[in-house]
Amino acid sequence: MARVLLIEDDPEQLELRASILVQAGHQVETASNLIGALERCGGCQVAVMDLIPQSEELLEQLRHAGTRIIVLSGREPDRTALSSRVDDFLVKPCPSQRLLESIARVCLLLLLLLLAGPGTNAQTFRVSKQSEVVADLDLRAPGMD
C-alpha cells in the first residue's frame, strides 16, 4: 500500500482518518499545519490534505517533491485554480470508501507513470482495417504485492 501524508487541522478528523487509512494498510504520516507537513512529507507518495492556512505554499512544495495530491475539504474548492496542481477533489463529508478509492486511483496513476519512464519496453503495431484488438499486459514490480 501507499505511504500517505494526511494533513488536517481538526484533531478529531485527523485521528479518525489516520485510523481508517492505517486499517486499510497504508503507512500514514500526519500533520496539522504547514511546518509539520513539510517535515513529514519525505517518502510519501500521496498527500490527503484539507485546505489549511498556507495551502498554496504546501501545494507547491508537495508538487515539487512529486507527491500526488488529494484535496479533502469541508468547502467546495475553486477547482479551476487548483486543477493543475491536485489529482482529486473530495468534499466533506466524504465516505471512507470514496477516499480509499481515490488513493488507489492516484497510486495506480503513479505506477503507470513510473512504468512509462526509461527502461520500459514499448511495442508499436498497425491495424490496417477496422477491427477489434485485445492487448494482454504483463506488469511486474519485483518485491511488491
Side-chain angles (χ1 to χ4, degrees), residues 57-122:
E57 183 179 344
L58 182 55
L59 283 167
E60 189 69 30
Q61 293 286 336
L62 292 171
R63 206 27 108 188
H64 181 72
T67 305
R68 309 307 287 189
I69 302 168
I70 299 169
V71 170
L72 177 63
S73 179
R75 60 185 189 270
E76 183 71 28
D78 179 4
R79 292 176 188 250
T80 56
L82 295 174
S83 64
S84 65
R85 294 180 289 168
V86 302
D87 297 286
D88 202 357
F89 299 97
L90 301 174
V91 179
K92 295 177 188 173
C94 175
S96 299
Q97 188 61 36
R98 184 151 184 240
L99 174 59
L100 295 173
E101 288 169 357
S102 181
I103 292 170
R105 190 172 36 258
V106 168
C107 288
L108 179 60
L109 178 62
L110 183 61
L111 177 63
L112 291 174
L113 289 173
L114 289 172
L115 290 174
T120 59
N121 188 3

Side-chain angles (χ1 to χ4, degrees), residues 123-127 133-135:
Q123 298 290 325
T124 59
F125 61 92
R126 291 192 186 276
V127 178
V133 176
V134 176

Side-chain angles (χ1 to χ4, degrees), residues 4-7 14 18 28-32 36-37 40:
V4 179
L5 174 61
L6 180 61
I7 307 152
L14 183 66
V28 180
E29 293 289 332
T30 62
S32 60
R40 294 176 182 89

